[in-house]
Amino acid sequence: MNNKISKDEKIFVAGANGMAGSAICRSLLKKGYGLKDNDGKLLTPSRNDLNLLCYESVINWFKKNEPSVVIIAAAKVGGIYANLKYPADFLIENIKIQTNIIEACWKTNVKRILFLGSSCIYPKDITCPIEEEFLLSGPLEKTNEPYAIAKIAGIKLCEALSKQYNLDAISLMPTNLYGPGDNYNSDNSHVMAAMIKRFSEAKRISSEYVTCWGSGNPLREFLYVDDLGDAVVFALEKWDPKSKNAPSDKQGNPLFYLNVGTGKDIRIKELAKKIAEFCEYSGKIYWDSTKPDGTFRKILDVNKIKELGWQPKIGLDEG
């Protein structure tokens, strides 16, 4: 199968400084993309160089720099606390960022676009493992609804432009990510980073106990971020939704978005014990059941991307 992108592309990674974006850059460079020796270029402008919230700024930057491939990993992200406290910010900023970039791609005839969604796009009460076709089949989890709605809008905009104007736009839905560059802010970190910080801090100050949010009973799937980086490069190279062998829904229609994960999950209580062991913390763990659990179980069906030939490589203990 021939690659759909070449080593001499000018690749714009929006959100290159974030956890996902920096992992994508590592994977691109590892595969020989963005290297001067191959006549390639990796475009990773800072916020000072490019204001993604302003369409005029974005379209002018696109006309000047002429990227041929665009990866959208830029987003306002956060955990349950941040989503509950700043719902308007999550909706407005994420819709602006992704719409500005996607429209600029369309207006400047970008060759390929990959948009990063999130597993939180799927309904709250859904059969696991979660198939791509379950999108929009029920109500969303309230604790991250604003972020999910914005991401759904991005996926559907890519799909609509692909259908109406033949824009080559694909989307990937990663499960919960962790790894280098994660956000350890106490107010808006996700569960893995929050626990690593909490247990390492408890070890440092010799605390007798650690309090964690919720009951600890929900199950979650985790993907090491460099595996996502490799999945992004793989999808850009190999996946054409309109080819006859591409993944499709049960009616045989093309799918323009695919899940990315491990297909394995772990109970939050077990994750807490595992992190405590890695941090060499031997105190007690208390669960604050007055705090929300979020969705009880959320594991993705990743058979479709695996059928294309991609597999995760880094297990939870190694990660």
Side-chain angles (χ1 to χ4, degrees), residues 113-247:
I113 305 160
L114 189 144
F115 174 68
L116 268 193
S118 164
S119 60
C120 72
I121 63 166
Y122 294 111
K124 178 183 179 181
D125 300 312
I126 201 76
T127 309
C128 286
I130 302 167
E131 298 175 29
E132 285 87 350
E133 289 174 82
F134 293 168
L135 180 62
L136 297 175
S137 63
L140 297 164
E141 163 59 47
K142 286 292 181 187
T143 54
N144 55 23
E145 186 182 81
Y147 183 73
I149 288 171
K151 285 295 183 184
I152 292 168
I155 297 157
K156 289 300 181 181
L157 179 57
C158 286
E159 184 177 331
L161 285 167
S162 181
K163 288 177 176 177
Q164 188 174 342
Y165 294 106
N166 213 30
L167 186 72
D168 188 353
I170 54 177
S171 301
L172 291 180
M173 303 304 109
T175 189
N176 300 292
L177 299 172
Y178 71 103
D182 208 341
N183 171 23
Y184 294 91
N185 183 291
S186 299
D187 287 344
N188 58 14
S189 58
H190 287 102
V191 61
M192 180 77 81
M195 282 189 172
I196 290 171
K197 181 178 181 181
R198 204 163 288 174
F199 283 104
S200 57
E201 181 69 7
K203 168 69 176 176
R204 188 182 67 80
I205 64 172
S206 301
S207 178
E208 292 181 8
Y209 65 91
V210 168
T211 302
C212 296
W213 273 34
S215 66
N217 290 319
L219 294 134
R220 288 291 180 273
E221 175 186 20
F222 294 96
L223 180 71
Y224 192 71
V225 73
D226 284 67
D227 274 338
L228 172 68
D230 290 348
V232 166
V233 178
F234 174 85
L236 284 168
E237 289 180 335
K238 304 297 184 188
W239 175 35
D240 176 4
K242 294 180 180 178
S243 74
K244 63 178 182 180
N245 298 321

Side-chain angles (χ1 to χ4, degrees), residues 11-298:
I11 303 175
F12 169 35
V13 182
N17 293 324
M19 176 171 64
S22 55
I24 291 164
C25 290
R26 288 194 293 273
S27 293
L28 286 165
L29 293 167
K30 185 173 69 179
K31 290 293 293 285
Y33 294 98
L35 300 177
K36 282 184 180 178
D37 291 351
N38 296 332
D39 296 322
K41 197 169 186 182
L42 211 53
L43 302 167
T44 58
S46 68
R47 287 185 183 182
N48 291 334
D49 298 324
L50 175 58
N51 178 10
L52 296 175
L53 293 168
C54 171
Y55 179 70
E56 189 177 351
S57 169
V58 173
I59 192 68
N60 289 338
W61 185 90
F62 266 72
K63 288 174 179 176
K64 180 183 176 183
N65 292 278
E66 299 180 327
S68 56
V69 175
V70 173
I71 301 163
I72 306 170
K76 180 178 179 63
V77 297
I80 291 173
Y81 174 86
N83 270 269
L84 289 172
K85 191 171 182 183
Y86 310 109
D89 295 356
F90 274 85
L91 260 174
I92 292 169
E93 290 187 30
N94 283 308
I95 287 174
K96 277 187 178 180
I97 289 167
Q98 64 205 29
T99 305
N100 288 345
I101 298 171
I102 295 165
E103 187 174 350
C105 289
W106 168 44
K107 293 287 175 65
T108 59
N109 300 308
V110 166
K111 178 178 165 182
R112 286 218 95 184
I113 305 160
L114 189 144
F115 174 68
L116 268 193
S118 164
S119 60
C120 72
I121 63 166
Y122 294 111
K124 178 183 179 181
D125 300 312
I126 201 76
T127 309
C128 286
I130 302 167
E131 298 175 29
E132 285 87 350
E133 289 174 82
F134 293 168
L135 180 62
L136 297 175
S137 63
L140 297 164
E141 163 59 47
K142 286 292 181 187
T143 54
N144 55 23
E145 186 182 81
Y147 183 73
I149 288 171
K151 285 295 183 184
I152 292 168
I155 297 157
K156 289 300 181 181
L157 179 57
C158 286
E159 184 177 331
L161 285 167
S162 181
K163 288 177 176 177
Q164 188 174 342
Y165 294 106
N166 213 30
L167 186 72
D168 188 353
I170 54 177
S171 301
L172 291 180
M173 303 304 109
T175 189
N176 300 292
L177 299 172
Y178 71 103
D182 208 341
N183 171 23
Y184 294 91
N185 183 291
S186 299
D187 287 344
N188 58 14
S189 58
H190 287 102
V191 61
M192 180 77 81
M195 282 189 172
I196 290 171
K197 181 178 181 181
R198 204 163 288 174
F199 283 104
S200 57
E201 181 69 7
K203 168 69 176 176
R204 188 182 67 80
I205 64 172
S206 301
S207 178
E208 292 181 8
Y209 65 91
V210 168
T211 302
C212 296
W213 273 34
S215 66
N217 290 319
L219 294 134
R220 288 291 180 273
E221 175 186 20
F222 294 96
L223 180 71
Y224 192 71
V225 73
D226 284 67
D227 274 338
L228 172 68
D230 290 348
V232 166
V233 178
F234 174 85
L236 284 168
E237 289 180 335
K238 304 297 184 188
W239 175 35
D240 176 4
K242 294 180 180 178
S243 74
K244 63 178 182 180
N245 298 321
S248 58
D249 65 20
K250 289 180 175 66
Q251 284 72 46
N253 301 310
L255 277 171
F256 291 88
Y257 57 97
L258 294 178
N259 293 333
V260 185
T262 60
K264 300 173 184 176
D265 57 7
I266 183 172
R267 201 170 295 282
I268 295 297
K269 274 185 179 174
E270 294 306 311
L271 178 67
K273 287 180 187 174
K274 192 181 285 284
I275 292 171
E277 286 170 13
F278 277 120
C279 293
E280 298 179 347
Y281 175 74
S282 55
K284 292 181 178 177
I285 302 172
Y286 292 119
W287 294 92
D288 181 359
S289 57
T290 65
K291 296 291 192 293
D293 269 334
T295 306
F296 181 74
R297 190 179 188 216
K298 192 166 67 172

